[in-house]
Amino acid sequence: MPLTAFRDRVDIDLGDRSYPILIGTDLLGDFDAFAATPAAATALIVTNTTVAPLYLAALRNTLTARFRAVHVLELPDGEVYKDWATLNLIFDALLRHGADRKTVLFALGGGVVGDMTGFAAASYMRGVPFVQVPTTLLAQVDSSVGGKTAINHPLGKNMIGAFYQPQLVLCDLATLQTLPPRELSAGLAEVIKYGPISDMAFFDWIEANVDALVALDPAALAHAVKRSCEIKAGVVGQDERENGLRAILNFGHTFGHAIESGLGYGEWLHGEAVGCGMVMAAHLSQRLGGVDAAFVERLTRLIERAGLPIVGPALGDARYLELMRIDKKSEAGEIRFVVIDKPGSAVVRSAPDAMVREVLVQCCTA
Ligand code: NAD
Ligand code: GLY
């Protein structure tokens, strides 16, 4: 179904750090959409070599009407560049352009650009304002919202970072139309996640609409982005710094992060690793008594229909366990997993290593 002049809004309610998420079509060229951007003389757009040829001109034109100087930094593209050396390129650009404390950073791209630009904004001069302009489904439904910023370390995913909220998130749905199918599927993993942890009615809706989502149907994508942002806003509004509840947003991520760092960043996409990690976490949930085999099968089929892998790589159970111990949820070396305690509800729990090994044997190639 086509979607014309669609505009919606979800609010993140965090007191003096509150901000709107605007969701709509062709927002990049819409001056009014940027009304919540802080006033300043200078802006720096951080993007990458893939996104720049597609969307930089539209954003730069719009910002030129608002800022005296609009600078641009194009980073190399890829999860493998989510590191110290590439982060430093943002600081180099800020210093080279004489950026002051009011300079606004704009993250134009997927979760990699968003996480790195957010971390740079959190630390340049101890904090400058930034705006998220996510252009992947994954970034629109998850990474641009909620203020988690980070880079990877060779020993662990997203281990170096800060909680730092943007001033505005601007999801231009039109940008999703150029996403390669594999990237679209990766984003669907994070959309699917919201069902088992929080909203089984949404899960039903995704099951009924997954083919439309895979086919980039604009109306289906608009609903998926809005409902995902609403659920995430509700969780982040209660637990901004992940003292408890927010950890449920990491369903599938403990296994997934092990796949990503175990294979080498970029080998599997983040969303692919999360999709497969949710299959593993569902099996663990079943063994812990939270869900039955029918639920695990239902979730696995949906992940498969979304175009995501459902069988994990053969890293070996000892290596998986070693990698999963380097996780922000671990406590005193004990791995803690997000598991489903009943459909639509998740908790964080430890599990015996022997049980985790059984899940890995069941879910990974030999
Ligand atoms: P990504 O940023 O690597 O983008 C995926 C690919 O799509 C890249 O090649 C990118 O250049 C390209 N691309 C971006 N927009 C495009 C468009 N509109 N058309 C065509 N190509 C486009 O990956 P991602 O999946 O967006 O994000 C994954 C990252 O997000 C991971 O590093 C993950 O750790 C992080 N993440 C963070 C959070 C958080 O809360 N901060 C949550 C989830 C994931
Ligand atoms: N993507 C997990 C979180 O934002 O907490």
Side-chain angles (χ1 to χ4, degrees), residues 48 50-51 54-55 77-79 82 109-113 115 135-136 138-139 142-143 145 148-149 157-158 175-176 178-180 183 186 190 232 246 253 270:
N48 72 23
T50 303
V51 177
L54 296 168
Y55 301 113
D77 184 8
E79 184 76 36
K82 195 176 163 183
V112 170
V113 164
D115 279 15
T135 60
T136 63
L138 186 140
D142 193 355
S143 66
V145 173
K148 277 190 181 176
T149 74
K157 173 88 182 141
N158 290 337
T175 62
L176 303 180
T178 54
L179 273 185
E183 299 296 348
E190 304 280 16
K232 183 152 186 185
R246 184 167 178 169
H253 286 57
H270 174 72

Side-chain angles (χ1 to χ4, degrees), residues 47 73 94 111 151 158 221 230 283 297 345:
T47 184
L73 175 65
L94 286 165
I151 55 169
N158 290 337
L221 287 170
E230 284 171 349
H283 280 282
E297 176 62 18
S345 165

Side-chain angles (χ1 to χ4, degrees), residues 44-57 60 70-78 81 85-94 96-97 106-109 112-113 116-117:
L44 174 69
I45 302 173
V46 181
T47 184
N48 72 23
T49 48
T50 303
V51 177
L54 296 168
Y55 301 113
L56 176 59
R60 185 163 39 189
V70 179
H71 303 292
V72 175
L73 175 65
E74 286 183 33
L75 300 176
D77 184 8
Y81 294 107
T86 312
L87 176 72
N88 213 34
L89 298 177
I90 306 179
F91 298 130
D92 289 347
L94 286 165
R96 211 173 42 245
H97 293 302
F106 288 82
L108 175 69
V112 170
V113 164
M116 283 203 293
T117 307

